Amino acid sequence: MEILSAARVGKYGVGAFNTNNMEITQAILEAAEESRSPVIVALSEGGLKYGGKDLVNMVIDMSKSATVPVAVHLDHGSSFESCLQTIRYGFTSVMIDKSHEDEETNIRETKRVVKAAHAVGVTVEAEIGRLGGVEEHVVVTEDEVALTKPEEAERFMAATGTDYLAIAIGTSHGANKGKGRPYIDHQRIVEIANRVPNPLVMHGASGVPQDVVARLNAAGGQLKDATGIHEDDVRKAVTEGIAKINTDTDLRLALTMRVREVLMNDPKQFDPRKILGPAREEMKRIVKERIEVFGSANKA
Ligand code: 13P
């Protein structure tokens, strides 16, 4: 995908934001357009199951009419079949995630997807190493986390022809990324980037804004010890080779926080537009903030 190659060369990041419905998609696209930033709209298998073909059609349609470059991406594809199905739907990018298998299986399955995807001009993300937290189809405990080895990354890219590579460097999925400021292994990013010229991908990159968490809890939520990746770590990572930055949790938090606030402050409210409209605005604000941190504003 050209928007990621340009990002790697230009030392900035492009956000890949997960969507599950119209409001989230609008927030992502409107924020990207107002910031003049390229953007990636990501759907996971869980999102596809939730929204079905209607959601897919809507997201692809909305992306096509955007005035900035937009890629529609499958996040954490668990199988060749799932990647193929989304390619048929019209996705422009897919991730095959066999990072939980052994190296040989990961290479073999990724190669299959690369061959099929490249034949129709679709680009592929794969992953090596293991992040902590709950992913679409796997739960990884703290003991099972395995940071990506630079030599393995080089070997994997040469063997598979993958376009961009997700690496484990200390981030994790979800709203609890560790006590205090989670440690990010910048040296490892640099070493991987020295061996792999392709765009690198940071999963689990949400900032988990503390003001949003505080408001969510004040409105009846019960999120304990919520922590995210410090924005200085993200700013640094994009200068080191990270070009695609995945964000899901921040939008979930923003949506839930505003829905809770609206319903708490106005218990008689039952108009979905008055409930989801403010949530959409809040998500848009968050996407714009993220775009500033990633450095992709005015790169469209
Ligand atoms: P967060 O949970 O930090 O938003 O990460 C999302 C992600 O990496 C999706 O692939």
Side-chain angles (χ1 to χ4, degrees):
M1 183 197 307
E2 289 104 57
I3 60 180
L4 288 183
S5 316
R8 166 92 205 241
V9 173
K11 295 186 188 299
Y12 58 90
V14 176
F17 298 95
N18 288 73
T19 189
N20 298 302
N21 69 11
M22 180 188 78
E23 284 81 4
I24 304 173
T25 315
Q26 286 174 326
I28 298 167
L29 293 175
E30 284 174 21
E33 291 191 316
E34 286 173 26
S35 306
R36 304 314 303 159
S37 168
V39 77
I40 299 165
V41 181
L43 284 134
S44 66
E45 289 176 357
L48 288 169
K49 200 166 157 205
Y50 174 75
K53 194 67 195 332
D54 295 334
L55 175 64
V56 168
N57 289 344
M58 185 187 70
V59 169
I60 292 180
D61 228 44
M62 287 166 74
S63 303
K64 282 188 177 150
S65 48
T67 60
V68 291
V70 182
V72 179
H73 173 78
L74 171 67
D75 193 26
H76 293 291
S78 63
S79 66
F80 177 76
E81 289 72 25
S82 157
C83 290
L84 229 57
Q85 187 189 38
T86 49
I87 290 171
R88 277 195 213 104
Y89 284 165
F91 282 41
T92 53
S93 166
V94 292
M95 175 184 191
I96 174 74
D97 181 5
K98 292 286 178 185
S99 60
H100 309 279
E101 310 278 355
D102 57 58
E103 186 178 348
E104 198 190 316
T105 309
N106 193 359
I107 288 178
R108 190 185 62 238
E109 291 301 308
T110 301
K111 263 171 90 168
R112 275 181 82 198
V113 172
V114 168
K115 193 167 171 219
H118 284 184
V120 290
V122 169
T123 49
V124 179
E125 173 180 343
E127 176 171 336
I128 53 171
R130 241 169 286 142
L131 271 72
V134 184
E135 263 169 25
E136 205 51 55
H137 49 286
V138 191
V139 181
V140 180
T141 66
E142 231 170 89
D143 301 343
E144 292 166 337
V145 171
L147 300 186
T148 305
K149 295 187 183 72
E151 64 279 8
E152 195 184 328
E154 187 176 7
R155 210 162 49 226
F156 182 86
M157 294 306 276
T160 58
T162 297
D163 299 285
Y164 21 101
L165 182 68
I167 54 175
I169 37 132
T171 62
S172 55
H173 292 98
N176 300 86
K177 299 190 192 295
K179 298 233 154 32
R181 179 172 169 172
Y183 173 73
I184 300 302
D185 194 340
H186 288 282
Q187 186 54 35
R188 190 174 294 271
I189 304 175
V190 172
E191 282 170 25
I192 295 170
N194 281 341
R195 291 166 180 262
V196 175
N198 310 57
L200 301 174
V201 184
M202 185 190 248
H203 280 248
S206 273
V208 188
Q210 293 303 302
D211 58 323
V212 173
V213 174
R215 283 169 66 184
L216 194 155
N217 284 339
Q222 291 188 2
L223 276 189
K224 278 214 184 93
D225 304 322
T227 51
I229 305 304
H230 198 284
E231 65 179 50
D232 289 346
D233 281 315
V234 176
R235 287 183 204 278
K236 193 165 175 210
V238 300
T239 68
E240 295 165 336
I242 295 289
K244 173 174 179 280
I245 304 173
N246 289 15
T247 302
D248 184 4
T249 296
D250 283 352
L251 300 191
R252 293 181 177 199
L253 290 172
L255 182 148
T256 306
M257 180 273 279
R258 283 304 281 145
V259 167
R260 277 192 176 280
E261 279 188 349
V262 168
L263 294 177
M264 186 180 70
N265 296 334
D266 188 3
K268 295 202 178 73
Q269 187 56 255
F270 61 89
D271 180 342
R273 296 166 297 185
K274 301 256 166 58
I275 299 167
L276 292 172
R280 179 173 58 193
E281 283 309 305
E282 187 66 18
M283 290 188 285
K284 190 169 154 184
R285 180 181 75 80
I286 295 281
V287 175
K288 281 184 159 180
E289 273 182 21
R290 301 299 290 161
I291 284 173
E292 287 303 321
V293 171
F294 304 161
S296 66
N298 300 313
K299 304 286 187 191

